[in-house]
């Protein structure tokens, strides 16, 4: 592609390098090679403008920066735009050129990974070549890559979408995190439908208020989806009403799901130990669904997923029947094993207050003994959630073990102390491996253990080092040790 092919997105008219071959797009000067267009983004740690000279020295075809940027004295053209992040997303979409025909995105504080995975599974069962993209990585026919960001940055994202489209994937579901939406990571994606699960406290280190956090999520509905596109909204959350209102105001086709849903109405649920039976009404017809997953919240996630699949063309009965074969996303109320006396051990990704509350409440109905929870909080993340999670664990579990999550650059003891301040009677075991082993050793018949916070993660970040660590592996090892 020539630099001139980005006209309309970038102000390239009249610059000397307009016929240069563009060999890539990047917002990281360290990745720049000759011919790459470098986007100088104002970030949380640094201002990309500082690296413009570095990018130019590495052979950048042009530098894109915000209007008012002070970049000067470079031998390469500097293109000034209003919103460099938007320009990056649109340029990446144009550069990589192709994406799966039918793409949906889901936002909300909890449930995004599950909904993305479930929507992919429904499509697969309906016979489509489908992919999902999110926190746990990328899953597509013949592909299962471990993930890092929930919503990849635009360059990685569009490169991936191109690969998926080239591999014949026609349907893809992706997670839209508030960071991703706010940072315009999805602005180049052509979306057919959007979903909303719920809103609770998260990322209060990044968003100044919950209203600001909600506004970031609303970008999916009021900015990214084209007029008339379906917005599948979970109807039973305190934030459902303002979300519905915003989607309606944006001219979207609002489809609500849940107990108060009009599109898919949940009439009744019966919980069993590791599964639940739901009655769902769609278009006047009642469907009995045997959902092979534990947790009330999984029904909500399943309904949002079915709504997304149906609204993009999957027949209703096919989508609802597909729910009977759903597999939970890795590390989401994931039953890793049971002790010889039958006590189940779940690994769950609850690392924020609402998720912890939901997961602990979900296992109570089938726990005749004690609910035991092992958890911590990540360092360099929202500090305010720590005592809130301590209080929730103390209120909803019988035994609370506070351990380390990913301390990152923080002192682990300080993080634990903030949780423990609101968790009287909790046991403190900093070493996560030891905490898991001691918790498994405590289990009696009828008890349930939840190891929360890290879910699918395969590493633990202490300082700047990430060491291999898997809650799944530790639980399995502890169960084996106990059985021996
Ligand atoms: C807070 C945050 O979201 N940061 C993201 C953001 O970085 P930033 O813009 O703040 O970067 P910065 O370090 O200030 O640097 C500014 C710019 O200078 C550039 N730079 C820097 C150094 C250099 O030598 N040359 C150079 O060009 C950087 O590439 C960057 O473009 O943009 C980067 C590129 O897209 C992301 O990788 C980075 O994610 C970091 C790694 C991160 O941890 N993000 C987490 C918080 C996140 O995004 N999480 C969400 C939600 C999770 C969930 O709840 O599911 C997610 O979607 O994963
Ligand atoms: N609909 C829901 N309502 C409340 N809690 C939920 C819901 N779905 C999942 N959870 C809880 O949140 C955890 C994370 O679920 P999931 O990974 O699907 O959400 P997510 O929105 O992708 O989260 P993250 O932003 O952390 O990636 C689960 O392990 C469970 O504890
Ligand atoms: N995407 C989330 C994941 C948090 C997972 C938890 N284990 C932690 O480290 O806090 C974040 O980066 O905030
Ligand atoms: Mg996720």
């Amino acid at each position: 592609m020539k630099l001139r092919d980005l006209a309309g997105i970038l102000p390239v008219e009249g610059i000397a390098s307009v016929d240069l071959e563009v060999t890539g797009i990047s917002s990281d000067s360290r990745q720049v090679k000759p011919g790459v267009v470098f986007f100088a983004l104002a970030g949380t740690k640094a201002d990309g403008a500082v690296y413009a000279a570095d990018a130019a020295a590495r052979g950048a075809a042009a530098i894109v920066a915000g209007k008012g940027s002070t970049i000067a004295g470079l031998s390469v053209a500097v293109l000034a735009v209003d919103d460099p992040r938007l320009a990056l997303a649109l340029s990446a979409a144009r550069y990589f050129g192709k994406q799966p025909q039918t793409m949906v995105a889901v936002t909300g504080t909890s449930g995004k990974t599950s909904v993305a995975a479930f929507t992919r599974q429904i499509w697969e069962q309906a016979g489509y070549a489908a992919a999902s993209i999110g926190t746990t990585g990328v899953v597509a026919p013949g592909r299962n890559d471990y993930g890092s960001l929930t919503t990849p940055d635009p360059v990685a994202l569009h490169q991936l979408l191109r690969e998926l489209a080239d591999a014949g994937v026609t349907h893809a579901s992706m997670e839209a995190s508030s960071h991703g939406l706010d940072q315009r990571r999805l602005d180049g994606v052509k979306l057919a439908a959007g979903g909303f699960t719920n809103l609770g406290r998260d990322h209060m280190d990044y968003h100044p208020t919950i209203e600001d956090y909600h506004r970031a999520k609303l970008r999916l509905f009021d900015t990214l989806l084209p007029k008339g596109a379906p917005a599948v909204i979970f109807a039973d959350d305190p934030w459902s009403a303002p979300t519905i209102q915003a989607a309606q105001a944006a001219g979207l086709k609002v489809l609500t799901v849940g107990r108060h849903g009009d599109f898919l109405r949940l009439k009744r649920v019966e919980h069993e130990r590791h599964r639940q039976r739901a009655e769902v009404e769609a278009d006047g017809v009642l469907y009995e669904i045997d959902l092979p997953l534990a947790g009330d919240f999984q029904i909500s996630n399943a309904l949002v997923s079915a709504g997304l699949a149906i609204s993009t063309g999957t027949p209703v009965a096919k989508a609802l029947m597909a729910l009977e074969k759903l597999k939970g996303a890795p590390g989401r109320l994931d039953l890793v094993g049971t002790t010889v006396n039958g006590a189940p051990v779940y690994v769950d990704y609850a690392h924020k207050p609402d998720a912890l509350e939901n997961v602990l409440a979900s296992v109570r109905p089938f726990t005749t003994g004690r609910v035991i929870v092992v958890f911590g909080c990540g360092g360099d993340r929202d500090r305010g959630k720590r005592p809130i999670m301590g209080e929730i664990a103390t209120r909803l579990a019988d035994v609370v073990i506070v351990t380390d999550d990913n301390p990152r650059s923080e002192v682990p003891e300080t993080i634990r102390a903030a949780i423990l301040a609101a968790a009287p009677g909790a046991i403190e075991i900093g070493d996560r491996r030891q905490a898991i082993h001691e918790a498994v050793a405590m289990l009696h018949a009828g008890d349930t253990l939840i190891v929360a916070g890290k879910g699918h993660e395969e590493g633990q970040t202490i300082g700047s080092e990430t060491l291999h660590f898997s809650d799944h592996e530790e639980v399995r090892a502890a169960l084996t040790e106990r059985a021996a």
Side-chain angles (χ1 to χ4, degrees):
M1 163 185 283
K2 299 262 197 266
L3 191 52
R4 69 161 74 246
D5 297 326
L6 291 172
I9 296 173
L10 303 180
V12 294
E13 298 81 3
I15 62 166
S17 51
V18 72
D19 281 320
L20 261 183
E21 192 63 27
V22 172
T23 58
I25 305 266
S26 181
S27 59
D28 186 340
S29 63
R30 291 161 293 191
Q31 311 282 326
V32 170
K33 296 200 171 54
V36 167
V37 180
F38 173 70
F39 290 73
L41 306 180
T44 43
K45 288 202 222 95
D47 184 352
V50 170
Y51 304 105
D54 181 36
R58 292 172 193 258
I63 311 281
V64 181
K67 283 185 178 149
S69 139
T70 51
I71 301 172
L74 301 183
S75 55
V76 57
V78 179
L79 310 172
V81 296
D82 286 325
D83 184 344
R85 287 187 189 268
L86 177 64
L88 172 68
L90 299 179
S91 300
R94 176 84 64 91
Y95 180 76
F96 289 102
K98 272 211 260 176
Q99 36 190 285
Q101 262 155 1
T102 305
M103 294 221 33
V104 302
V106 57
T107 195
T109 301
S110 298
K112 300 180 295 295
T113 297
S114 305
V115 169
F118 294 171
T119 308
R120 168 182 46 77
Q121 293 177 42
I122 297 169
W123 279 330
E124 281 168 354
Q125 287 191 50
Y128 300 115
S132 56
I133 302 163
T135 319
T136 49
V138 181
V139 181
R143 182 167 182 165
N144 193 344
D145 305 346
Y146 185 70
S148 55
L149 286 179
T150 288
T151 306
D153 73 71
V155 177
L157 177 61
H158 285 285
Q159 178 168 5
L160 169 66
L161 296 181
R162 169 75 199 231
E163 285 167 16
L164 293 175
D166 282 346
V169 169
T170 56
H171 289 63
S173 52
M174 64 179 293
E175 291 182 52
S177 66
S178 61
H179 291 82
L181 287 163
D182 185 55
Q183 295 168 14
R184 316 286 189 260
R185 294 182 203 159
L186 293 106
D187 282 51
V189 181
K190 294 216 160 24
L191 293 170
F196 173 82
T197 54
N198 50 55
L199 197 87
R201 185 194 174 97
D202 199 15
H203 303 308
M204 287 296 127
D205 48 339
Y206 184 86
H207 301 283
T209 60
I210 185 127
E211 286 75 22
D212 179 78
Y213 174 48
H214 186 233
R215 255 194 306 281
K217 300 248 175 233
L218 285 184
R219 280 197 81 242
L220 174 59
F221 303 101
D222 61 26
T223 309
L224 298 190
L225 284 166
K227 262 199 173 33
V232 179
I233 299 177
F234 179 59
D236 307 336
D237 189 76
W239 288 85
S240 302
T243 309
I244 291 169
Q245 219 171 13
Q248 272 164 348
L252 302 181
K253 184 168 152 198
V254 172
L255 305 172
T256 52
V257 304
R259 288 186 191 276
H260 297 96
D262 290 326
F263 186 58
L264 296 177
R265 180 172 300 231
L266 179 63
K267 306 283 280 189
R268 204 167 59 86
V269 190
E270 257 172 55
H271 299 277
E272 284 169 41
R273 200 175 167 107
H274 302 307
R275 51 195 316 117
Q276 40 203 327
R277 238 185 135 58
E279 254 177 38
V280 177
E281 190 185 314
D283 226 359
V285 182
L286 209 56
Y287 295 83
E288 285 259 332
I289 299 159
D290 191 7
L291 191 75
L293 298 168
D296 229 358
F297 61 84
Q298 292 289 33
I299 300 217
S300 321
N301 295 338
L303 291 178
V304 174
S305 312
L308 286 170
I310 295 165
S311 67
T312 52
T314 306
V316 179
K318 219 173 218 169
L320 292 179
M321 284 308 113
L323 302 183
E324 301 213 330
K325 297 203 183 111
L326 286 185
K327 288 197 183 67
R332 275 67 185 163
L333 208 51
D334 201 345
L335 179 65
V336 182
T338 48
T339 56
V340 277
N341 54 19
V345 184
Y346 291 94
V347 164
D348 186 80
Y349 197 48
H351 57 81
K352 46 200 158 194
D354 286 6
L356 189 63
E357 177 134 17
N358 267 290
V359 79
L360 293 176
S362 287
V363 297
R364 181 59 74 183
F366 59 76
T367 304
T368 52
R370 301 167 302 169
V371 172
I372 303 177
V373 64
V374 171
F375 82 105
C377 285
D380 302 336
R381 296 286 185 270
D382 182 4
R383 291 166 191 231
K385 73 180 176 185
R386 295 171 189 170
I388 303 176
M389 290 175 71
E391 184 279 321
I392 290 170
T394 308
R395 179 161 42 86
L396 297 177
D398 303 291
V399 179
V400 177
I401 301 177
V402 175
T403 188
D404 292 340
D405 191 295
N406 292 306
R408 302 194 176 87
S409 73
E410 288 193 56
V411 176
E413 288 77 10
T414 314
I415 302 176
R416 276 183 259 127
I419 304 170
L420 287 161
I427 304 165
E428 180 180 6
I429 307 175
D431 183 282
R432 195 171 178 94
R433 178 168 291 124
Q434 191 191 338
I436 291 173
H437 281 251
E438 291 199 19
V440 167
M442 272 179 204
L443 288 168
H444 297 156
D447 293 346
T448 298
L449 171 60
I450 305 280
V451 179
K454 291 179 63 63
H456 63 287
E457 291 177 2
E458 291 177 6
Q460 184 176 31
T461 308
I462 303 172
S464 54
E465 235 189 341
T466 301
L467 304 168
H468 178 79
F469 192 94
S470 150
D471 282 354
H472 285 83
E473 284 171 17
E474 294 309 327
V475 168
R476 273 192 220 106
L479 286 170
T480 311
E481 189 176 283
R482 197 187 138 132

